[in-house]
Amino acid sequence: MAKLISKTYGEALFELALEEEKEDLLMEEVEGLQKVLLENPEYGRFIHHPKVPMEEKVKTTENIFADRISKELVGFLTLIISKGRFGELDKILTYFLECCKAHKGIGVAYVTTPYALQEEKKNQIESKLLETTSYQKMEMHYDLNPALIGGMQIRIGDRVVDSSIQTKLNQLQKSLLKVQL
């Protein structure tokens, strides 16, 4: 259900951005908004407080953000609050950013390795991903997980390439357990 909510509202914001030809502006504002909301959890507590009337939540939101972000994003934010979907806002905004990046040909890759990679190796991975995908640019995120032992895991959207030693050991164990003596 949560994924459906984030997709529905995220796509609506993306379509608005396309209609208004403000993809770049709204992308920048949404990234900033996510950062502000993360740094100010008291705003979220205010919005979720059951004793604060909905009108006050909407009015306060308009007052806080009116001079800082576009009227389209303020309107969208007040819509989310009035529909009781503020708890899903981060997922909605993330989905919107994914839509914008896909529209611009930017792929987002998450690379997990058991050790830190040198810049040269990072550049090789990025180049290989650009060659093997339809993206013109890659946004790379690197993470460490010593449990992988060796190799790496790469995730782009819902596609995963897992060449880690840990996964290969798990597959070997499963196949050995299937063998009947």
Side-chain angles (χ1 to χ4, degrees):
M1 180 72 168
K3 190 164 184 133
L4 180 63
I5 292 168
S6 62
K7 184 177 190 262
T8 302
Y9 284 96
E11 282 179 354
L13 183 59
F14 178 65
E15 288 174 17
L16 175 67
L18 289 177
E19 282 177 22
E20 300 289 323
E21 296 180 359
K22 294 184 176 181
E23 304 98 276
D24 292 333
L25 172 69
L26 285 177
M27 256 182 91
E28 188 178 314
E29 287 183 348
V30 163
E31 288 170 345
L33 179 61
Q34 281 184 314
K35 188 182 242 184
V36 166
L37 294 175
L38 186 65
E39 293 170 355
N40 298 287
E42 58 275 358
Y43 175 74
R45 287 192 295 273
F46 168 76
I47 296 298
H48 286 297
H49 200 285
K51 292 189 178 181
V52 177
M54 186 61 68
E55 298 80 30
E56 188 176 335
K57 293 175 185 179
V58 169
K59 192 71 174 164
T60 301
T61 299
E62 288 172 343
N63 291 338
I64 290 172
F65 293 106
D67 297 333
R68 294 180 174 90
I69 57 177
S70 64
K71 67 179 180 8
E72 291 87 1
L73 193 54
V74 171
F76 184 77
L77 191 55
T78 57
L79 173 74
I80 295 295
I81 292 167
S82 64
K83 295 287 185 182
R85 301 293 188 198
F86 187 79
E88 300 297 319
L89 183 62
D90 188 56
K91 291 177 185 168
I92 292 168
L93 297 179
T94 299
Y95 189 86
F96 165 76
L97 291 173
E98 289 171 358
C99 289
C100 286
K101 289 175 184 175
H103 182 71
K104 292 174 160 274
I106 301 171
V108 181
Y110 297 90
V111 179
T112 307
T113 58
Y115 50 85
L117 298 174
Q118 295 177 349
E119 281 304 310
E120 183 181 328
K121 187 65 174 173
K122 288 180 179 181
N123 292 336
Q124 288 175 353
I125 293 169
E126 184 175 353
S127 296
K128 189 67 173 172
L129 290 175
L130 286 170
E131 286 174 22
T132 57
T133 64
S134 60
Y135 298 113
Q136 289 89 18
K137 187 178 175 189
M138 293 300 294
E139 182 180 300
M140 304 295 291
H141 300 274
Y142 294 94
D143 192 26
L144 297 177
N145 182 356
L148 295 180
I149 304 170
M152 69 178 68
Q153 294 174 334
I154 301 174
R155 183 175 57 87
I156 301 174
D158 59 355
R159 295 180 298 178
V160 177
V161 176
D162 189 343
S163 65
S164 67
I165 302 293
Q166 181 62 45
T167 299
K168 290 179 181 176
L169 287 173
N170 288 341
Q171 290 170 345
L172 181 61
Q173 180 185 19
K174 285 180 185 176
S175 64
L176 287 174
L177 289 172
K178 288 180 182 177
V179 174
Q180 294 181 353
L181 299 175

